[in-house]
Amino acid sequence: MAAQAFVLVLGGGLLSLLAIQREKEMNTFDFQRVTRLRPLELAFGKLFGAPVLMYFIVLCLMPAALVGAVVGHARPTFVVAAYVVVVLGAISIHALALLLSLLLERGVAVTGGVLFLIVLWLNPLVAAKFWLDLGSLSPFLASDLSTQMTWAVMPRPPGTTIYMSGGYGMTDVLFGWPVHHAAVVVVLYASFAAWFLLAVVRNIKRDPAGYEIFTPAQALGFLLFINLIFIGFFRWSRWSASEAQADLLGLNTSLCFVLGVALLRNRDRVRRLYARGRLSSGWLAAAWPAPYLGAGTLVVGLVPVAILQVIGKLDGEWDLGVALFRVALFSAWLLRDILYLQWMNLRRGGRLRVGLLYLAVFYICAGIVFGTLNLFGTPRGLAFTAVLMPPAVFSLRLGAWAETWDAWLVALCAQILIAGIFGSLQRRTLADLSAPGRLPIAAAGAA
Amino acid sequence: MFLERGNSVEAPAAILLENLSKVYDLPPGSAGAAQAVAADNLNLRIAEREVFGLVGPNGAGKTTTLKMICGLLVPTAGRIVVNGVDVERDPEAAQGGIGYLADFFSLYDDLKVWEYLDYFAHAYKMAPETIAGRITDVLRLMGLEGKRGAFIGALSRGMKQRLGIGRAIIHDPPVLVLDEPAVGLDPKGRIEFRQLVHELNGRGKTVLITSHLLHDLEEMCTSIAIIEKGRLLRSGRLEQILGEGVRERRVRIMVASPGFPLVEWLSRREGVTGVTGAAPIGAQFSFAGGPSELASLVKALVVAGASVYAVEPVGETLEKVVMGLSRGEVT
Ligand SMILES: Nc1ncnc2c1ncn2[C@@H]1O[C@H](COP(=O)(O)OP(=O)(O)OP(=O)(O)O)[C@@H](O)[C@H]1O
Ligand SMILES: [Mg+2]
């Protein structure tokens, strides 16, 4: 079983990862794009066509595995379930690999994808098992599943953390209800595969300059979906309210960030919008998608706060004001970084990658400098570091808040100010891009 | 801007470009402008059943324009209609009616020739029962019958080119878009290719071709467009393009009397200018008069003692027109 999972998930993943890359490199991808194939058909063709060899190998290994199962007195239903998990898991991973293959250039896609697959393989328990009442999400759990003896779900004693610690079956807790892990995993795989496929299908026949992973509405849907999973399986009982908020806020901000990067417009798009007169010159339109994402972060940040308030398991560290402040600070922070990246991306040559690199370097350097200055140690220093590195707010104690709230407000204002600077830089770039000399078309098209 | 005049206007358009523009970003390191305008407000109307040649120097924007027509690139602005279908709105429907050959491509080396065509026949959603027959037809048309079962990796460059053309026509599209299709073909192959284009055109296909082999184009095309730096310099029927700018006819006379001072004799005649030539065998000159004046000139030449064995009009070649235009005479 393990061997089959290995072959299908890793081998198939790699082949999918290379599928579109190779075609693009050989210049044969265009020929497939000009056929009558609908994007969905093309995507499905790639999804099952690229790893077809691996499916074949799995089929060859199957008799041996089945003999093993019979000898080992495995329950047939679990063996079937294990296959379902492997295949569905493999499909969802292949879909992700296909998406990477489509969007990234070869080196980046392969490195990222291989790293991801290795993590998946080395750590079969890979899952947010510390945060979530959820077992392993890796398809490699199939070999465990095939040896299970009972479908019964047993609520675990509250203290246990590691899910497969024997004796409790494969139980997850969804909104307080125990559910069998296999069912959860199957549903998750299917829905993630659907999301990834949606992105592939949307883009596979497009001009690479016009790739856009999701529409804003779809991005919002994806965000809500992830949140539903997280909130549903969240280990509310294990964490204090403020820790819970910190985790959820951190998660949502990073998600918004990733989606934001995906929504960023490149020069080609902006130029097209201008040329067709579809881009107004207002501030809001010019700053897109930053305001949308800032608002999104605000909303998904406020939801856990509301939940925590309703659940009412609040402790001494919990303060509604601090919680709201955190959300506000994070939204402003996201606004700032997205505006920066959008600006970088609109500059000549589309420097998104460089922008991301600068950003990473910036945070690492700032962290080192502040660390050596021991600014994280003092309440006021902490507030100061938040000007550049807002996550410092997670170390903010309630007592310190009372003393240094003014400094923290300054940090918040600083975020907004920096965001404003990047916003105006971006506006300048846009103005340059849409200048009459730059767009011979705009005038002619209007005439 | 420059729309076609004359007879093609009433025929339905197979390909219609309206205010088509495409701007590329250039990498920051490159010198000069930050962007390249590969198509600058192009307006072009290619009527059905035309063989249309797109001509221009390297980097003129030919490939870019063709890719936009096939829906592979999104235009920065403007609209493309192929067979009445807006390419951007309904790419699959438009693509079903186009056969596209890229300027630079490779094939799947580990497929056999017929498998390759079979794959694309399915991708173009041909009726399964017609596919086998169609593959045989196409292979015969491309002169590849003998290679039906061969692996593509074992084909020569020119054969691959033929197979590429074969792939482009497999689904019998009404419009063919061929980007430098004659590259890599031997002289015989090029002649065969011209015949193929004629034959396809005879079967009612519209063919859009780019090529740097202007002589080939001149023999194949019914219409021509000349572009440079994304701008349309001129477009129209081939005769029209070649005829434009020529007020006097150019004539070549060949004589078989080595001692005769042909150039001097011609230079003294009325209406004759610009005499060039390899005297004493032959000469070229511009002649202002009509046919009867030319006839009397030839008569006088014979009377003067020259053994004239050939008199032929010399047409303007496409090459010259293109060279003249791209030096900036017309913008
Ligand atoms: N992907 C690209 N990125 C940036 N600029 C491009 C890109 N593709 C083409 N260009 C630029 O667009 C212009 C037109 O290129 P195109 O390939 O359409 O020319 P062409 O007429 O086909 O030339 P050739 O005769 O050499 O095939 C050139 O200036 C080229 O530098
Ligand atoms: Mg070209």
Side-chain angles (χ1 to χ4, degrees), chain A residues 23 26-28 31-39 41 205 207 267 271-272 275-276 348 438 441 444, chain B residues 21 23 25 27 30 34-35 41 72 74-77 88 92 95-96 104-106 108 119 124-125 167:
Chain A
E23 301 260 355
M26 284 169 46
N27 243 333
T28 48
F31 289 145
Q32 301 193 347
R33 285 174 58 209
V34 294
T35 62
R36 286 198 69 137
L37 290 176
R38 301 250 153 214
E41 295 166 324
K205 284 198 94 175
D207 175 358
R267 285 174 78 93
R271 200 180 285 121
R272 220 159 50 233
R276 286 160 196 215
R348 206 178 139 195
R438 295 290 182 145
I441 323 103
Chain B
S21 294
V23 181
D25 271 311
S30 57
Q35 46 190 28
N41 213 19
L72 291 171
V74 196
T76 307
E88 214 173 330
E92 279 91 30
Q95 283 159 346
F104 167 74
F105 65 93
S106 49
Y108 304 103
Y119 170 74
Y124 278 109
K125 302 190 176 165
R167 196 223 51 245

Side-chain angles (χ1 to χ4, degrees), chain B residues 24-26 36 38 56-65 103 179-180 212:
Chain B
Y24 283 114
D25 271 311
L26 295 179
N58 290 136
K62 303 180 295 294
T63 298
T64 305
T65 306
D103 51 349
D179 202 350
E180 306 197 14
H212 293 295

Side-chain angles (χ1 to χ4, degrees), chain B residues 233-308:
Chain B
L233 298 185
R234 187 169 294 180
S235 76
R237 306 285 301 175
L238 185 66
E239 318 84 73
Q240 213 175 331
I241 296 268
L242 296 184
E244 265 173 45
V246 191
R247 262 151 239 94
E248 304 177 315
R249 78 179 71 206
R250 211 64 200 148
V251 181
R252 178 175 8 189
I253 288 189
M254 309 293 276
V255 294
S257 22
F260 191 81
L262 184 60
V263 173
E264 291 84 68
W265 190 89
L266 281 171
S267 307
R268 286 198 299 273
R269 299 293 300 196
E270 204 179 319
V272 173
T273 47
V275 185
T276 58
I281 304 139
Q284 263 192 36
F285 58 94
S286 300
F287 190 64
S292 54
E293 284 89 350
L294 183 60
S296 49
L297 179 135
V298 174
K299 200 168 166 189
L301 185 58
V302 172
V303 170
S307 329
V308 178

Side-chain angles (χ1 to χ4, degrees), chain A residues 220-418:
Chain A
L220 183 69
F222 188 64
L223 189 66
L224 290 178
F225 170 71
I226 299 274
N227 265 286
L228 194 71
I229 296 174
F230 249 76
I231 294 177
F233 292 105
F234 200 73
R235 237 176 244 272
W236 298 99
S237 57
R238 236 174 78 73
W239 307 94
S240 76
S242 56
E243 279 169 329
Q245 194 219 351
D247 283 344
L248 287 176
L249 189 59
L251 168 86
N252 273 320
T253 311
S254 10
L255 253 172
C256 280
F257 183 76
V258 172
L259 288 175
V261 171
L263 280 179
L264 289 184
R265 292 186 291 210
N266 58 18
R267 285 174 78 93
D268 199 66
R269 281 245 335 270
V270 171
R271 200 180 285 121
R272 220 159 50 233
L273 290 172
Y274 269 126
R276 286 160 196 215
R278 294 224 200 98
L279 199 61
S280 67
S281 51
W283 259 98
L284 212 61
W288 176 267
Y292 181 74
L293 287 158
T297 318
L298 209 60
V299 171
V300 290
L302 290 176
V303 170
V305 175
I307 292 180
L308 286 164
Q309 282 284 337
V310 170
I311 291 180
K313 198 180 79 73
L314 309 173
D315 48 43
E317 268 300 319
W318 178 257
D319 178 80
L320 188 59
V322 176
L324 293 180
F325 177 76
R326 280 171 161 185
V327 174
L329 186 66
F330 266 62
S331 302
W333 178 37
L334 184 93
L335 204 62
R336 173 189 102 178
D337 281 3
I338 289 290
L339 276 170
Y340 160 73
L341 286 174
Q342 173 74 82
W343 170 61
M344 286 301 273
N345 200 24
L346 283 179
R347 287 173 64 193
R348 206 178 139 195
R351 304 190 182 178
L352 182 57
R353 209 155 307 137
V354 184
L356 281 168
L357 191 69
Y358 285 169
L359 210 59
V361 169
F362 164 76
Y363 283 121
I364 291 169
C365 290
I368 292 173
V369 170
F370 293 154
T372 48
L373 292 178
N374 196 22
L375 283 177
F376 295 120
T378 67
R380 234 164 236 287
L382 197 64
F384 175 71
T385 63
V387 172
L388 295 182
M389 302 180 66
V393 75
F394 289 147
S395 319
L396 174 62
R397 303 285 95 179
L398 202 51
W401 168 250
E403 276 171 45
T404 58
W405 63 271
D406 45 348
W408 284 100
L409 276 188
V410 169
L412 176 61
C413 293
Q415 305 305 314
I416 295 170
L417 195 73
I418 302 172

Side-chain angles (χ1 to χ4, degrees), chain B residues 26-53:
Chain B
L26 295 179
S30 57
Q35 46 190 28
V37 181
D40 190 352
N41 213 19
L42 287 179
N43 282 288
L44 211 54
R45 186 175 188 289
I46 301 176
E48 274 177 15
R49 313 188 65 132
E50 260 193 287
V51 178
F52 198 99

